[in-house]
Amino acid sequence: MHEIGLCEGVLGVALDAAGGGPVRRVRLRVGRLQGVVPEVFDQAWEMVSEGTPAAGSRVQLVDVAVQVRCRACGQESEADEAPFDCRHCGSPDVEVIAGDELVVEEVELAAGELRRNPTLVASEEGV
Ligand SMILES: [Zn+2]
């Protein structure tokens, strides 16, 4: 169950963002390549967060589709499952540009305060 390891990473980030305060909700962006099963993730989260300020909190998973860029024709396409061939020219020589991420987007504290992930906000503004 690799979800436990993922949860431990997410918990560290969430607790940092909350600065020791109680956590109510975590919004997590999960690429399809992570192979996360939501039900299993929820169970793992319950186990991992027990006894921490995030106990009883909920993780909201945001599904991110796999996106590839073709090295042959340079176009981008969405891919459902491997092999991720280019939809435009059929070349298998593609680079995955989205779908393998696991990023804490937002942490909601019990008081209702929202903490956005600063690195993520910065990268979104840069687009
Ligand atoms: Zn192509």
Side-chain angles (χ1 to χ4, degrees):
M1 189 154 101
H2 78 302
E3 276 83 356
I4 298 240
L6 298 182
C7 281
E8 282 169 347
V10 171
L11 182 67
V13 174
L15 294 180
D16 263 7
V23 174
R24 178 193 285 167
R25 185 176 59 86
V26 178
R27 201 171 137 93
L28 183 67
R29 200 184 282 199
V30 186
R32 297 229 175 111
L33 291 178
Q34 292 284 345
V36 168
V37 181
E39 294 77 28
V40 179
F41 190 93
D42 283 350
Q43 279 177 13
W45 179 254
E46 226 176 278
M47 282 171 54
V48 168
S49 64
E50 206 185 297
T52 75
S57 64
R58 210 164 51 81
V59 179
Q60 184 186 358
L61 301 175
V62 181
D63 179 51
V64 180
V66 178
Q67 196 97 30
V68 297
R69 183 184 291 127
C70 177
R71 289 195 181 93
C73 73
Q75 301 220 60
E76 294 175 9
S77 42
E78 199 168 293
D80 294 324
E81 42 191 276
F84 305 128
D85 295 344
C86 172
R87 279 199 188 164
H88 303 280
C89 72
S91 167
D93 188 14
V94 296
E95 172 193 6
V96 173
I97 55 173
D100 61 352
E101 59 264 80
L102 186 82
V103 183
V104 174
E105 244 182 20
E106 198 174 85
V107 176
E108 186 184 336
L109 306 190
E113 191 188 332
L114 284 181
R115 298 269 167 90
R116 297 272 297 167
N117 181 337
T119 46
L120 194 62
V121 171
S123 70
E124 274 173 1
E125 280 169 357
V127 171

